[in-house]
Amino acid sequence: MEPINIFNGKTVPLLNDNIDTDQIIPKVFLKRITKTGFGPFLFDEWRYLEDGSENPDFNLNKQEYKGASILISGDNFGCGSSREHAAWALKDFGFLIIIAGSFSDIFYMNCTKNGMLPIAIENKNDREAIAQHSDITIDLPNQEVITPEAKYHFEIDSTWKNKLVNGLDDIAITLTYKDQINEYEKMHN
């Protein structure tokens, strides 16, 4: 995983509440066996018209939002099924940070385990104010979303903060015990 410390990124608002994992990545696209290649199917039913062309009214298709790495959304983002594919699709599309009013617990964990930072900003007015800016800064060590006008504090569990700041996934953490594991293996072989 790549570390997340101070991150400057382009935003895209999708301020709907209750966006579920089937809306994020419809189940028809879950046939891949790797974590990559899901980006083109992200929000498929919203991004594309019936003829397969891009829906010009959907924010992710608008020119001013192309290349966004920070998605700003409503309450209860990632609800529904526990499919990890939703986090994979968002990351594959280019999102590293999701700001929402709240998250499904399983979706939140799927994000952190895949090197994405989910930020809960409960106040809808604050999220709408953040969404007014095309570029913002995320300061994970100080737990702040920074716009030209204001700073918004967010909470994150210290364990997940440490993993994201240092770019550590579960395998990388296990490998920090490599010497102890090797010593144990020598003793028990």
Side-chain angles (χ1 to χ4, degrees):
M1 288 187 340
E2 292 295 317
I4 302 173
N5 286 285
I6 308 296
F7 182 84
N8 298 300
K10 188 174 184 178
T11 65
V12 59
L14 185 59
L15 295 170
N16 305 30
D17 292 335
N18 303 311
I19 295 177
D20 68 39
T21 54
D22 198 47
Q23 291 163 322
I24 296 170
I25 182 77
K27 65 184 173 190
V28 69
F29 300 112
L30 305 184
K31 298 173 184 158
R32 296 178 179 273
I33 58 171
T34 63
K35 292 183 177 186
T36 59
F38 291 100
F41 312 115
L42 180 70
F43 299 117
D44 184 78
E45 294 175 10
W46 296 344
R47 278 180 56 208
Y48 302 104
L49 300 173
E50 285 187 26
D51 66 1
S53 64
E54 286 189 349
N55 176 355
D57 297 325
F58 188 64
N59 279 357
L60 271 64
N61 294 334
K62 294 180 181 177
Q63 190 59 41
E64 66 263 32
Y65 299 121
K66 296 284 184 184
S69 55
I70 302 170
L71 178 67
I72 303 171
S73 194
D75 291 324
N76 199 26
F77 189 84
C79 57
S81 73
S82 61
R83 70 181 65 150
E84 192 171 10
H85 301 75
W88 297 347
L90 286 158
K91 188 166 188 179
D92 193 60
F93 188 79
F95 291 113
L96 187 62
I97 295 170
I98 313 294
I99 298 172
S102 60
F103 296 91
S104 140
D105 290 341
I106 293 172
F107 177 82
Y108 185 95
M109 297 307 293
N110 285 339
C111 284
T112 58
K113 288 183 179 214
N114 285 282
M116 297 170 60
L117 174 59
I119 297 174
I121 302 284
E122 292 181 14
N123 186 299
K124 182 179 180 180
N125 292 331
D126 289 348
R127 287 193 314 276
E128 289 174 350
I130 293 167
Q132 295 302 310
H133 300 281
S134 60
D135 293 283
I136 63 172
T137 299
I138 307 300
D139 180 342
L140 180 53
N142 292 307
Q143 298 174 213
E144 292 178 327
V145 175
I146 304 166
T147 72
E149 298 166 350
K151 294 181 180 181
Y152 303 88
H153 181 77
F154 63 90
E155 295 296 325
I156 183 170
D157 180 271
S158 61
T159 301
W160 290 108
K161 178 179 174 179
N162 178 59
K163 287 180 178 184
L164 291 168
V165 165
N166 292 296
L168 299 171
D169 61 13
D170 291 341
I171 294 171
I173 290 170
T174 301
L175 290 176
T176 64
Y177 298 99
K178 181 180 176 183
D179 292 340
Q180 293 96 323
I181 293 168
N182 287 338
E183 191 61 36
Y184 177 87
E185 291 293 324
K186 285 180 188 175
M187 290 177 13
H188 292 86
N189 249 344

